[in-house]
Amino acid sequence: MNLLIIIPAFLVAIGVLVTVHEFGHFWVARRLGVKVLRFSIGFGRPLLRRISRDADKVEYVLSALPFGGYVKMLDERECEEGYVIPAEELPRAFNRQPLWKRAAIVVAGPVANFLLAVVVYALVFMVGQDAMRPYVDVSKGSPAAQAGFQPGDLVTAINGVETPSWEDMRMLLVEEYLKSPQLLFNVNTPDGAQVQRHLDLQNVLLFKEESGTLDKVGINPWLPPYDVVVHGVLPDTPAAQAGLQAKDKILRMNDVKPAGGRDFIMYIQSHAKEPVTLQIERAGQQLATTVTPSINPQTGAKTATIGAQLESPPKALLDKVYFIESFGPVESIWRGAAKTWQMSVVTLKLMGRMLTGEVNLKNISGPVTIAQFAGLSASIGLTYYLGFLAIVSVSLGVLNLLPIPMLDGGHLLYYLIELIKGSPVSAETEAVGFRVGMAIIAGLMMLALYNDFTRLLN
């Protein structure tokens, strides 16, 4: 992917997320009377610096390393050696604040990330986004096939919750699976009947591997059957060598009739370096030719292709499956909040299952993978990029609430202990906690970077 898209998209995402998070701390601290000394986006050498004109003289800084930020508040524990805070300013020091104020300031960062996600999701719902109705295709021998699903089934609800789009169905399936592996689907069959199908995922470990969640269930997006027609042929490819031309209709592949473009592509991908006999119709005549799918590493492809571009499905068919999902302002805000809550709960549960080994640690991603997804979503369209931004904002909010020293959740844990025992945690305990937290965060970052580079090498 073009680095001219990846790098700006990643930096904008990181900049927005960090700024919103730190602004949450900053805004609440100022409202509660705590003196803020510095608001910094990034670490390291300052690139830009501005001093506020009010009495507090807050220093606003943009630093060279964009991976984070901080809000520095007046605090007796963090004074430079030899400096004594003037007596008149001591009431505004962070460490002198009552417990509820300190907790409010700390929790404000993650809350700001959740609020950002609500706003972004609401904006996407109001603007409208491309969506697919949840028609399903079914893999043979899969749990979905054993449950009685048929190609063309339209899923209308899971465990009583409606699924208007494919994305809604996908997320709800994960959410309900994390509650119980026994799922009840409401389905409209291709002949118009309304039935229920019981999907048993008791013995299916959806997250044991890094990807392919729905593949393990045996459910894929479905399009009604349509003619596969060649739109164009790339030069010096197997399709060109086999004599394929634009407007050729693919009738059969080794005596298998394709149900549509996806069916044809999957068949080609599964026959790398194997001759495939194609029966085609050209200008009213039926012809036969042989093509050998190949993998061209120069294009970055990882699956077999023949170099033929296919025409889009008929518009009437697309109108049946695809639609624009949009809502009014009030409903969009409600849906944005519900989506944020759903993503937060699912993220937290998946993190918990990593500890039990049910979720593969390869699912942890670092800055390289995040940058790739930022670039990919930005290249597709604004609503997809906004959706990516909301997902990462939710993840950042959940991550920061984990009870790990160094994170906001670690400070909240200290405050809970203080509430119970009636006095603050000792400086020695905080120092030990800091080292433990540093080790945990460093370990997670090493694992995330290892996963990132493993993906790149593969």
Side-chain angles (χ1 to χ4, degrees):
M1 191 185 297
N2 194 336
L3 289 177
L4 294 178
I5 298 177
I6 292 177
I7 294 175
F10 176 65
L11 292 179
V12 168
I14 292 298
V16 169
L17 296 173
V18 170
T19 301
V20 167
H21 181 92
E22 298 304 330
F23 182 77
H25 295 308
F26 170 83
W27 188 85
V28 173
R30 297 264 286 182
R31 290 301 177 275
L32 294 180
V34 176
K35 184 173 182 178
V36 175
L37 304 178
R38 179 181 295 168
F39 183 118
S40 177
I41 302 302
F43 298 101
R45 184 172 63 87
L47 301 177
L48 296 173
R49 180 186 283 112
R50 176 180 173 272
I51 306 298
S52 68
R53 296 180 180 179
D54 59 18
D56 285 348
K57 302 297 182 183
V58 181
E59 183 183 23
Y60 297 94
V61 178
L62 179 64
S63 299
L65 299 177
F67 304 106
Y70 62 93
V71 174
K72 183 177 181 181
M73 291 170 272
L74 189 67
D75 195 314
E76 292 175 280
R77 300 165 301 177
E78 298 178 3
C79 292
E80 295 181 5
E81 187 175 354
Y83 177 78
V84 178
I85 298 175
E88 65 273 14
E89 289 198 338
L90 282 176
R92 300 188 64 193
F94 178 79
N95 64 292
R96 293 285 185 107
Q97 304 307 308
L99 182 59
W100 73 267
K101 283 190 177 183
R102 284 178 280 142
I105 293 169
V106 168
V107 81
V111 168
N113 284 122
F114 293 131
L115 290 177
L116 173 64
V118 172
V119 171
V120 170
Y121 277 133
L123 180 61
V124 170
F125 283 126
M126 279 191 283
V127 171
Q129 58 183 339
D130 294 330
M132 288 183 67
R133 293 182 175 84
Y135 288 99
V136 300
D137 201 356
V138 185
S139 302
K140 294 180 179 179
S142 66
Q146 295 170 12
F149 282 90
Q150 301 294 326
D153 280 349
L154 176 64
V155 177
T156 59
I158 301 176
N159 290 350
V161 182
E162 293 184 356
T163 55
S165 71
W166 178 266
E167 175 63 17
D168 291 326
M169 186 203 71
R170 185 181 68 86
M171 279 304 304
L172 186 59
L173 187 151
V174 171
E175 184 180 18
E176 294 299 317
Y177 167 83
L178 291 173
K179 296 176 184 176
S180 170
Q182 305 292 336
L183 305 178
L184 180 63
F185 284 67
N186 288 1
V187 170
N188 290 344
T189 65
D191 58 9
Q194 295 182 0
V195 300
Q196 290 187 326
R197 306 204 192 281
H198 296 265
L199 181 62
D200 183 3
L201 300 179
Q202 182 71 43
N203 299 316
V204 180
L205 300 176
L206 287 188
F207 306 102
K208 196 63 178 176
E209 302 299 329
E210 183 179 356
S211 60
T213 301
L214 291 184
D215 289 340
K216 296 183 182 69
V217 178
I219 289 178
N220 294 294
W222 176 86
L223 283 177
Y226 65 93
D227 291 336
V228 179
V229 179
V230 176
H231 177 73
V233 177
L234 300 178
D236 301 322
T237 61
Q241 295 166 6
L244 283 179
Q245 300 178 11
K247 300 302 179 181
D248 283 350
K249 182 190 297 185
I250 309 297
L251 302 178
R252 291 188 177 276
M253 315 155 300
N254 289 343
D255 294 328
V256 177
K257 179 177 174 60
R262 181 174 179 274
D263 195 28
F264 176 76
I265 291 171
M266 291 182 65
Y267 190 90
I268 292 298
Q269 290 178 345
S270 65
H271 288 74
K273 300 181 181 180
E274 299 178 15
V276 176
T277 300
L278 299 180
Q279 293 183 9
I280 62 176
E281 181 181 305
R282 178 185 300 164
Q285 295 185 342
Q286 293 192 11
L287 307 171
T289 186
T290 300
V291 62
T292 303
S294 64
I295 299 175
N296 186 355
Q298 295 181 351
T299 64
K302 297 180 181 180
T303 55
T305 65
I306 62 172
Q309 300 168 324
L310 304 181
E311 290 190 354
S312 299
K315 185 178 183 303
L317 182 150
L318 294 177
D319 291 342
K320 178 180 179 181
V321 176
Y322 293 93
F323 67 103
I324 302 296
E325 188 176 41
S326 63
F327 305 93
V330 175
E331 186 171 359
S332 293
I333 294 173
W334 180 87
R335 286 180 175 270
K339 183 77 170 178
T340 300
W341 174 258
Q342 180 189 47
M343 292 297 300
S344 302
V345 172
V346 168
T347 300
L348 188 59
K349 287 184 176 181
L350 289 176
M351 286 181 177
R353 297 204 177 191
M354 281 186 183
L355 299 177
T356 64
E358 294 180 62
V359 175
N360 199 313
L361 293 177
K362 291 182 179 179
N363 287 287
I364 296 177
S365 297
V368 177
T369 299
I370 294 173
Q372 288 180 319
F373 275 103
L376 177 61
S377 60
S379 66
I380 297 174
L382 178 60
T383 56
Y384 292 93
Y385 183 68
L386 290 175
F388 158 81
L389 194 66
I391 290 173
V392 180
S393 191
V394 168
S395 300
L396 185 61
V398 172
L399 179 64
N400 269 281
L401 286 177
L402 295 179
I404 299 174
M406 281 190 62
L407 300 180
D408 295 328
H411 292 292
L412 294 174
L413 177 62
Y414 289 153
Y415 298 155
L416 178 60
I417 295 173
E418 179 180 342
L419 180 65
I420 294 172
K421 66 191 287 283
S423 61
V425 174
S426 67
E428 293 78 10
T429 301
E430 284 199 20
V432 172
F434 180 85
R435 289 192 289 270
V436 171
M438 177 72 78
I440 294 173
I441 298 300
L444 289 174
M445 284 301 300
M446 292 288 290
L447 177 61
L449 288 171
Y450 172 79
N451 290 341
D452 282 351
F453 288 113
T454 298
R455 293 186 188 105
L456 285 177
L457 292 175
N458 290 335

